[in-house]
């Protein structure tokens, strides 16, 4: 049942009653050689801004440009995967003790299809760590938050690593759910540009080999600057359920 920000500051969550089972740890085992790329197609308002623009903004000390200008097309959905856990803690900083890796500060705005920012939208993130492992016993690198009155969110996390799973080698990605108050849940995954440098991995090759990737959901990335990346991604979501 959808809901807005709880009055208790985000500690109660009844919007989803579904429960994922069968989760086990996922380890970055030896990489597999994958077959052809199968890109999920679809219209998108979330193609990444040109890296050169982002880098120039960064060098000039300007805020990283948000990506992209909203054109009313919904952000493409993606598979949720088996490692979602309900009841994540409310927090904007996922870098809890013990989490190492390349720091990433991700910012963005949630828009409706009329390109109006959505305040109070639920934004949930979950991802693997620097070793390609998901925390399935606790809530490391898991959390949710609500957008500000201007529809904005800010996430402090790390660049995740690739891992080998049931869909082959997955390029580094951040699982995300976004939901306007009273609206349907968008489930998607965010990816990293080919030029990303982390953990000695070849992000271009990993992206090219990921059968599930949708390049339209690539984070605009600036850096690394002082060992940390700044990323930006805007979501465009439906705020009402489609009529049957
Ligand atoms: Fe995953």
């Amino acid at each position: 049942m959808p809901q807005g920000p709880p009055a208790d500051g985000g500690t109660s969550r009844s919007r989803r009653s579904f429960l994922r089972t069968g989760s086990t740890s996922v380890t970055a085992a030896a990489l597999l050689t994958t077959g052809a790329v199968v890109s999920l197609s679809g219209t998108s308002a979330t193609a990444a801004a040109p890296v050169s623009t982002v880098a120039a903004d960064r060098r000039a000390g300007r805020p990283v440009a948000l990506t992209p200008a909203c054109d009313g097309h919904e952000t493409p959905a993606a598979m949720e995967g088996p490692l979602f856990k309900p009841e994540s803690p409310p927090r904007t900083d996922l870098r809890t003790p013990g989490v190492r890796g390349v720091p990433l500060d991700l910012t963005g705005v949630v828009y409706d299809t009329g390109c109006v920012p959505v305040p109070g939208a639920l934004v949930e993130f979950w991802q693997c760590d620097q070793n390609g492992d998901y925390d399935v016993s606790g809530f490391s690198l898991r959390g949710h938050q609500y957008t500000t009155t201007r529809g904005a969110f800010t996430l402090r996390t790390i660049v995740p690593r690739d891992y080998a799973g049931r869909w082959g080698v997955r390029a580094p990605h951040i699982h995300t759910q976004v939901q306007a108050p009273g609206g349907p849940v968008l489930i998607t995954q965010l990816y990293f540009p080919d030029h990303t440098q982390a953990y000695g991995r070849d992000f271009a090759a990993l992206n090219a080999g990921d059968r599930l990737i949708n390049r339209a959901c690539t984070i605009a990335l600036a850096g690394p600057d002082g060992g940390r990346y700044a990323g930006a991604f805007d979501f465009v979501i439906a705020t009402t359920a489609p009529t049957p």
Side-chain angles (χ1 to χ4, degrees):
M1 183 70 67
Q3 65 175 21
D8 62 2
T11 56
S12 68
R13 299 183 67 215
S14 59
R15 72 182 181 85
R16 288 191 302 265
S17 59
F18 50 85
L19 179 65
R20 296 296 178 266
T21 59
S23 296
T24 56
S25 64
V26 175
T27 302
L31 294 178
L32 304 175
T33 301
T34 60
V37 175
V38 181
S39 295
L40 301 177
S41 61
T43 56
S44 170
T46 52
V51 171
S52 58
T53 300
V54 174
D57 285 345
R58 185 74 175 183
R59 284 194 297 271
R62 294 186 295 265
V64 176
L66 296 176
T67 64
C70 175
D71 67 1
H73 290 101
E74 293 176 32
T75 300
M79 178 189 302
E80 181 178 72
L83 298 174
F84 171 77
K85 287 182 65 176
E87 307 301 329
S88 72
R91 58 187 174 199
T92 58
D93 190 348
L94 305 187
R95 295 200 288 259
T96 52
V99 171
R100 297 178 304 279
V102 177
L104 167 68
D105 295 332
L106 179 66
T107 58
V109 174
V110 176
Y111 293 103
D112 66 18
T113 53
C115 298
V116 176
V118 181
L122 176 97
V123 188
E124 172 134 14
F125 299 99
W126 71 103
Q127 65 173 88
C128 68
D129 66 10
Q130 65 279 357
N131 298 314
D133 296 330
Y134 284 86
D135 182 3
V136 295
S137 59
F139 289 94
S140 179
L141 292 171
R142 300 173 185 270
H144 73 274
Q145 60 180 283
Y146 294 91
T147 54
T148 68
T149 54
R150 296 186 176 185
F153 68 88
T154 300
L155 180 73
R156 294 168 62 84
T157 185
I158 63 167
V159 176
R161 187 174 163 142
D162 54 290
Y163 61 85
R166 69 179 67 174
W167 291 280
V169 176
R170 295 303 322 280
H173 59 275
I174 299 176
H175 293 272
T176 309
Q177 294 188 6
V178 187
Q179 181 184 31
V185 179
L186 167 71
I187 302 172
T188 192
Q189 300 180 22
L190 306 183
Y191 294 91
F192 292 82
D194 288 351
H195 64 82
T196 307
Q197 299 172 26
Y199 318 122
R201 311 301 292 157
D202 184 342
F203 276 60
L206 292 166
N207 286 338
D210 189 320
R211 294 183 294 144
L212 303 179
I213 194 171
N214 187 338
R215 301 270 188 172
C217 291
T218 300
I219 295 168
L221 206 60
D225 184 358
R228 61 199 308 121
Y229 276 108
F233 192 90
D234 293 345
F235 296 93
V236 181
I237 61 170
T239 54
T240 57
T243 53

